[in-house]
Amino acid sequence: MHGRPSRSWFLSSHLVFGTAAILCGILFISAIHRAPEKPVVKNGDQVLLDHYLGGLKGKRVGLVMNPTARINGVHMLDTLLARGVNVTALFGPEHGFRGQRGAGEQIVNGVDSATGLPVYSLYGKVKKPTAKMLKNVDVLLFDMQDVGVRFYTYISTLGLVLESAADNHKPVWILDRPDPAGGNYMAGWILKQKYKSFVGAYPVPIAYGMTIGELAKMMVGEGWLQTKNKPEIRVIPCEGWHRSERWPATGIKWFPPSPNLPHFKNALVYLGTCVFEGTSISEGRGTPEPFLTIGSPYISFRKAELKPLEKRYNVELSSIRFTPRSIPGKSLHPKYEGKTCHGVSINLNEKQIPGFDPVAFGYDLLKFMLHHSSKDSLNSYLNLLAGTNEYKAFLHSSNNISPDSYWESQVKKFAQERKKYLIYQ
């Protein structure tokens, strides 16, 4: 019988269609949340592929890279080979070309198992490419993620590569990347010539607030390099980065630049807590959170005593007990291996990251730890990390002045000197 649909039919059909619409909406929103966000910033390696790859046509290309040289999870070496680039030699810094070595472990020459290409070590007995290593190279590509601190050895490697390339008349293309700590963040004393070493090669503050491309321009412009020939460098800039931004704002996935910096938080706090490598106090190697875990068997304090540090630096601190273990590829035989340590666990949330001052925090925390330790001490390596012995005045002071007041004038001077080398606003 063909009559008008009943009221119950309308109600049931509206219910079906309404439910379907709601389900579609839920699925759409879920899809949006599941879809990976595209990076806000493009590193120089991606910019090279997008715009400048033709400049390598017909050239024999050497790569100075580490495991951070990746695009969409694929190492830059494999990407370049797939694009037809004639890669002829590989050069590995500390931790190796593909990053299989822990801190301080000697790297030896060898062959890349995936490609059969020769790999030359730049960390060990030879830290500077030789003429023989560069014989079959027309141009070098330098691509690795720095962390923005003077004692991280990749910038020392950069300088030695520029010197050798200049001596052998080879151009260097620097595939630039953001400074993870931010391009406006500068802190710490400027290196004194007396304390120059592989963990402090150039007269810059501990945190210098520059990309490797900007720093390379400054190395050349200020005459810091030991070469008779002017280095021929070309900086392939990253796109979309503003120097006020720290790593989370870039949208780029974090690939550990070394085994003990597994996450950005470790790398940011490392700028300050690496100071503990110049002491008998553990910097957290041999634990799941290196540089966020600090302590020794001889430290004792009450949780309430951490409050002034938490307030000054807007950071979360917890008292902790931990036992360092030997971890192959990350930390062989760390300080106090197998012994129970007492100390501090450091944490930052997303809101705290932009304004955090890791270098000042590190020295303040060191002063706190020494005050609450019955046995711990400093060693001469701290002079190399600090680039000076001026830190002693702060550590021995009885006042509550922030450590940044001890280097403020030096940082201001450097900020003026670096201006003409800056690429990003």
Side-chain angles (χ1 to χ4, degrees):
M1 187 174 176
H2 299 286
R4 288 188 300 174
S6 67
R7 179 179 177 83
S8 61
W9 184 90
F10 276 115
L11 290 173
S12 60
S13 62
H14 284 189
L15 180 62
V16 170
F17 286 123
T19 303
I22 291 170
L23 288 173
C24 287
I26 292 171
L27 290 172
F28 177 73
I29 292 171
S30 298
I32 290 175
H33 284 293
R34 285 198 305 269
E37 294 183 3
K38 291 184 178 179
V40 178
V41 174
K42 284 185 180 180
N43 284 331
D45 50 12
Q46 182 65 63
V47 176
L48 170 77
L49 297 178
D50 291 347
H51 303 294
Y52 302 108
L53 205 57
L56 299 177
K57 188 175 181 179
K59 297 185 184 298
R60 298 169 300 173
V61 181
L63 308 183
V64 187
M65 296 183 177
N66 73 353
T68 63
R70 294 172 180 267
I71 296 177
N72 297 324
V74 179
H75 198 282
M76 192 63 172
L77 164 61
D78 306 313
T79 299
L80 290 170
L81 290 174
R83 295 288 191 98
V85 175
N86 182 24
V87 179
T88 55
L90 312 176
F91 299 86
E94 184 177 6
H95 308 295
F97 186 83
R98 292 191 186 265
Q100 306 94 334
R101 299 286 182 156
E105 291 187 48
Q106 192 175 54
I107 310 295
V108 297
N109 295 339
V111 174
D112 180 60
S113 59
T115 63
L117 289 167
V119 182
Y120 299 107
S121 169
L122 300 182
Y123 189 78
K125 292 182 179 180
V126 177
K127 291 183 171 64
K128 184 175 183 177
T130 64
K132 185 177 180 180
M133 293 176 183
L134 295 174
K135 183 179 179 181
N136 295 318
V137 171
D138 297 317
V139 59
L140 285 167
L141 300 186
F142 189 99
D143 181 24
M144 60 183 79
Q145 184 61 60
D146 182 34
V147 296
V149 69
R150 188 184 61 224
F151 43 72
Y152 207 59
T153 61
Y154 296 162
I155 62 171
S156 296
T157 296
L158 171 62
L160 293 175
V161 166
L162 294 179
E163 289 179 358
S164 179
D167 291 340
N168 292 280
H169 307 285
K170 311 286 185 180
V172 180
W173 291 20
I174 299 165
L175 312 185
D176 214 8
R177 291 164 171 267
D179 182 332
N184 291 331
Y185 177 65
M186 293 169 283
W189 297 275
I190 291 178
L191 175 78
K192 301 294 188 294
Q193 181 67 22
K194 178 181 178 181
Y195 298 107
K196 185 175 179 179
S197 72
F198 197 59
V199 293
Y202 304 106
V204 298
I206 292 174
Y208 43 80
M210 301 176 77
T211 67
I212 55 170
E214 293 173 329
L215 189 57
K217 289 175 61 180
M218 193 169 188
M219 289 178 187
V220 174
E222 296 296 309
W224 294 343
L225 302 176
Q226 303 301 309
T227 177
K228 294 180 180 179
N229 304 322
K230 184 177 181 180
E232 183 183 343
I233 66 172
R234 179 179 183 181
V235 179
I236 307 297
C238 46
E239 292 182 353
W241 183 63
H242 302 282
R243 60 183 328 106
S244 61
E245 296 172 338
R246 284 185 163 169
W247 188 263
T250 68
I252 302 173
K253 182 178 178 180
W254 180 261
F255 287 103
S258 53
N260 282 291
L261 300 180
H263 309 291
F264 169 68
K265 287 181 183 179
N266 303 76
L268 179 62
V269 178
Y270 164 83
L271 272 63
T273 55
C274 184
V275 68
F276 288 96
E277 290 189 348
T279 76
S280 62
I281 300 170
S282 168
E283 69 284 348
R285 293 185 189 275
T287 76
E289 294 290 357
F291 302 105
L292 298 178
T293 307
I294 309 296
S296 88
Y298 314 109
I299 290 172
S300 177
F301 59 86
R302 291 177 288 107
K303 173 67 173 69
E305 292 177 287
L306 293 173
K307 289 297 181 183
L309 280 175
E310 286 187 310
K311 185 176 181 181
R312 172 175 278 182
Y313 295 101
N314 190 25
V315 64
E316 299 167 18
L317 303 176
S318 304
S319 56
I320 188 175
R321 295 175 65 185
F322 63 96
T323 304
R325 306 291 185 189
S326 186
I327 305 175
K330 292 188 71 173
S331 182
L332 292 177
H333 309 302
K335 293 176 189 173
Y336 303 120
E337 180 181 0
K339 294 183 179 180
T340 300
C341 296
H342 309 272
V344 171
S345 174
I346 305 159
N347 187 43
L348 291 166
N349 61 43
E350 291 182 6
K351 292 182 179 179
Q352 293 167 327
I353 284 174
F356 181 62
D357 183 349
V359 177
F361 168 76
Y363 279 90
D364 240 343
L365 182 60
L366 173 57
K367 187 175 182 178
F368 176 90
M369 290 294 206
L370 291 173
H371 180 72
H372 290 85
S373 174
S374 62
K375 191 174 178 180
D376 288 300
S377 60
L378 312 178
N379 60 54
S380 60
Y381 189 57
L382 184 51
N383 292 337
L384 302 184
L385 293 173
T388 180
N389 63 0
E390 294 177 35
Y391 62 86
K392 293 179 180 178
F394 166 71
L395 294 179
H396 295 155
S397 66
S398 58
N399 58 42
N400 195 33
I401 297 176
S402 176
D404 56 8
S405 63
Y406 286 79
W407 58 65
E408 184 178 13
S409 61
Q410 295 182 36
V411 167
K412 284 184 177 179
K413 182 175 182 290
F414 175 77
Q416 291 300 315
E417 293 171 346
R418 72 172 194 154
K419 277 186 176 180
K420 57 186 174 183
Y421 303 108
L422 301 183
I423 300 171
Y424 312 92
Q425 300 299 314

